[in-house]
Amino acid sequence: MLNYSTSEENYIKAIFHLQQDEGTVTTNEVAHELSTKPASVTDMMKKLKTKKLLYYQPYQGFRLSPEGKKVALLIIRRHRLWEYFLAEKLKFSWDEVHEVAEHLEHVSSKKLIDKLDEFLGFPRVDPHGDPIPDENGKIETSPQVCLLDLPLNKPAIVCHVGDQSNQILELLNHKNIGIGTRMEVKKKFDFDNSMEIKIRQQLPFTISEQLAKNIFVRYGT
Amino acid sequence: MLNYSTSEENYIKAIFHLQQDEGTVTTNEVAHELSTKPASVTDMMKKLKTKKLLYYQPYQGFRLSPEGKKVALLIIRRHRLWEYFLAEKLKFSWDEVHEVAEHLEHVSSKKLIDKLDEFLGFPRVDPHGDPIPDENGKIETSPQVCLLDLPLNKPAIVCHVGDQSNQILELLNHKNIGIGTRMEVKKKFDFDNSMEIKIRQQLPFTISEQLAKNIFVRYGT
DNA sequence: TAATTATTTTAGGTTTGTCTAAAATAATTT
DNA sequence: AAATTATTTTAGACAAACCTAAAATAATTA
């Protein structure tokens, strides 16, 4: 496994995240994701292509090669282990871990990461509920359901938040919703797709479609 | 406190270490320390001068300004806290921590470092026995004595190793000498300046002048 | 002191990663 | 299908950090 620059790693990670939904990723999408310019993206795509990390034909978009995906997963492993460390050991709050982990993730000593993993007790998900790849880049793909699609009165556990902006985290914090929170959907309102949800030992309250769209759960009590 | 690039930080740190002995540092010394070329050093000195981190007149060498010293001490703080973390929590061996800490030290979140400090229980020295600066860059200057200068039969504790090459660490490991090791000097041989030392529950053995020169101790049992 | 040697700086070039402006291609609308 | 609009790529430039080779300065030796 070769070493890649911080910049290269950020591009690889961005493409990995973007291609989860659609299979192929465009220049503009990456430029927007990384707050850079399309011309810079094209430059980097040419470079990553020569390194065989992605497939790329001019004007046709691109997607990671198997090798590229593996690199991406190892970066994500580093990122999520550091997030777990920051939240669990250093008592960072949920919404602060991401930014610091963005920097720590580029320290690429395999031994460091494997020992960190061991020290943390081989956690399976990070503080946002996202699964942590193992040292071979294998990731647990567990069936997540969007809160919008959750049937009424079915107990579920929050396991992931789509958008991770500060605004949404502030709102979730205010409403006492976090990873691991148990809830049921009590009512759905077709008018605006808002829904009423119930959390143990709390009165039911309403959340918007916008918010529900970004909350993902697993079945379970 | 501004942010500096990894490269700038490495130069600042190198100058700080070199000027401990002499007051002023030369271009060649820094080039050698950082395995780079004198021309590159001159470039960087001009840059750091405009940032008011050091005093520099062409051909006259340079030394850090008070501001530059403070920056250096905060980098050293990060380095040594990570070293402590790696050794104490992740069970890295003594001679492996330095290299990884070289990378981690450039992640410059103050909150991260202060919380790490707290998590570690505010350690006062790193695994090499070097003192850890506090969050204001204040450092404890305790009286260290070179093993060469230690009087006979005076109990002392190893607190620092001068040279930190892998070769010396391997040797120290083999002889069971590490930070915190208690010892006494039993005999000194003027012929080659070698000395016989005694470690608790071990037979006395001999070490070379070369080695003794690089071992520093504090008085104490 | 003059000549030689060593050190340091300057001048100009390279690589990485970025940018702007213009050209090429693709997608959309009329 | 042609024209317009949007996207992507190319061309050329820039800053950071490095390099080599040559010039300038300082230190040393004869």
Side-chain angles (χ1 to χ4, degrees), chain B residues 12-86:
Chain B
I12 294 165
K13 207 174 43 141
I15 295 167
F16 182 89
H17 285 309
L18 289 170
Q19 78 177 29
Q20 295 296 76
D21 319 306
E22 325 152 53
T24 187
V25 179
T26 70
T27 305
N28 265 358
E29 283 168 351
V30 175
H32 182 257
E33 175 83 4
L34 294 178
S35 304
T36 185
K37 295 291 180 292
S40 308
V41 176
T42 301
D43 285 351
M44 184 58 88
M45 292 310 101
K46 286 195 258 180
K47 192 175 161 199
L48 294 181
K49 187 188 181 182
T50 70
K51 295 196 177 187
K52 313 237 190 218
L53 294 177
L54 47 76
Y55 305 120
Y56 165 53
Q57 290 302 117
Y59 296 102
Q60 302 306 131
F62 29 81
R63 55 183 225 283
L64 294 177
S65 68
E67 177 63 16
K69 272 185 198 152
K70 184 164 182 195
V71 172
L73 283 162
L74 290 179
I75 300 165
I76 289 167
R77 167 173 165 79
R78 302 197 293 245
H79 182 94
R80 293 183 180 166
L81 282 173
W82 281 119
E83 282 196 343
Y84 187 94
F85 170 76
L86 294 171

Side-chain angles (χ1 to χ4, degrees), chain A residues 22-38:
Chain A
E22 325 153 53
T24 187
V25 180
T26 70
T27 305
N28 265 357
E29 283 168 351
V30 175
H32 182 256
E33 176 84 4
L34 295 178
S35 305
T36 185
K37 296 291 181 293

Side-chain angles (χ1 to χ4, degrees), chain A residues 111-163:
Chain A
K111 188 161 190 178
L112 168 64
I113 296 305
D114 291 348
K115 277 181 175 274
L116 179 65
D117 197 9
E118 185 182 354
F119 172 66
L120 298 174
F122 302 106
R124 288 167 52 252
V125 295
D126 76 4
H128 299 295
D130 295 313
I132 298 173
D134 71 15
E135 63 175 302
N136 303 120
K138 272 258 153 63
I139 199 166
E140 186 183 301
T141 52
S142 54
Q144 295 187 354
V145 183
C146 181
L147 192 54
L148 278 180
D149 305 322
L150 185 67
L152 290 182
N153 297 310
K154 194 133 179 103
I157 303 167
V158 176
C159 64
H160 175 69
V161 175
D163 179 355

Side-chain angles (χ1 to χ4, degrees), chain A residues 48-174:
Chain A
L48 294 181
K49 186 187 181 180
T50 70
K51 296 196 176 187
K52 314 239 190 218
L53 294 176
L54 48 76
Y55 306 120
Y56 165 54
Q57 291 301 117
Y59 296 103
Q60 302 305 131
F62 30 80
R63 56 183 223 284
L64 293 177
S65 68
E67 177 63 17
K69 271 184 199 153
K70 184 162 183 197
V71 172
L73 283 161
L74 291 179
I75 299 165
I76 289 166
R77 168 173 165 80
R78 303 197 293 245
H79 181 95
R80 292 184 181 166
L81 282 172
W82 282 119
E83 282 196 343
Y84 188 94
F85 169 75
L86 294 171
E88 201 64 27
K89 300 292 181 180
L90 299 198
K91 308 298 177 195
F92 269 76
S93 80
W94 199 48
D95 50 326
E96 294 172 315
V97 297
H98 184 75
E99 195 192 326
V100 180
E102 282 293 299
H103 295 101
L104 288 167
E105 72 183 5
H106 299 297
V107 177
S108 64
S109 155
K110 174 162 167 46
K111 188 161 190 178
L112 168 64
I113 296 305
D114 291 348
K115 277 181 175 274
L116 179 65
D117 197 9
E118 185 182 354
F119 172 66
L120 298 174
F122 302 106
R124 288 167 52 252
V125 295
D126 76 4
H128 299 295
D130 295 313
I132 298 173
D134 71 15
E135 63 175 302
N136 303 120
K138 272 258 153 63
I139 199 166
E140 186 183 301
T141 52
S142 54
Q144 295 187 354
V145 183
C146 181
L147 192 54
L148 278 180
D149 305 322
L150 185 67
L152 290 182
N153 297 310
K154 194 133 179 103
I157 303 167
V158 176
C159 64
H160 175 69
V161 175
D163 179 355
Q164 287 178 191
S165 67
N166 272 3
Q167 292 95 62
I168 200 174
L169 295 176
E170 189 196 0
L171 176 55
L172 289 171
N173 232 40
H174 179 73

Side-chain angles (χ1 to χ4, degrees), chain B residues 122-211:
Chain B
F122 303 106
R124 289 166 51 253
V125 296
D126 76 4
H128 299 293
D130 295 314
I132 299 173
D134 72 15
E135 61 174 305
N136 303 120
K138 272 255 153 63
I139 199 166
E140 186 184 303
T141 50
S142 53
Q144 295 187 354
V145 181
C146 181
L147 190 54
L148 278 181
D149 305 322
L150 185 67
L152 290 182
N153 297 311
K154 193 131 180 106
I157 303 166
V158 176
C159 65
H160 176 68
V161 174
D163 179 355
Q164 288 177 190
S165 67
N166 272 3
Q167 292 96 61
I168 198 174
L169 295 176
E170 190 196 358
L171 176 55
L172 290 171
N173 231 40
H174 179 72
K175 297 211 181 271
N176 270 313
I177 300 173
I179 299 303
T181 300
R182 280 148 233 280
M183 58 170 59
E184 287 176 32
V185 176
K186 287 301 182 187
K187 269 186 196 148
K188 293 184 186 178
F189 300 101
D190 286 341
F191 169 67
D192 58 0
N193 280 318
S194 68
M195 52 172 62
E196 196 168 82
I197 64 174
K198 170 89 181 71
I199 298 182
R200 240 187 341 185
Q201 291 162 329
Q202 280 185 229
L203 290 173
F205 58 91
T206 300
I207 65 174
S208 67
E209 175 188 22
Q210 189 109 31
L211 183 56

Side-chain angles (χ1 to χ4, degrees), chain A residues 5 7 36-37 39-40 43 47:
Chain A
S5 72
S7 192
T36 185
K37 296 291 181 293
S40 309
D43 286 350
K47 191 173 162 201

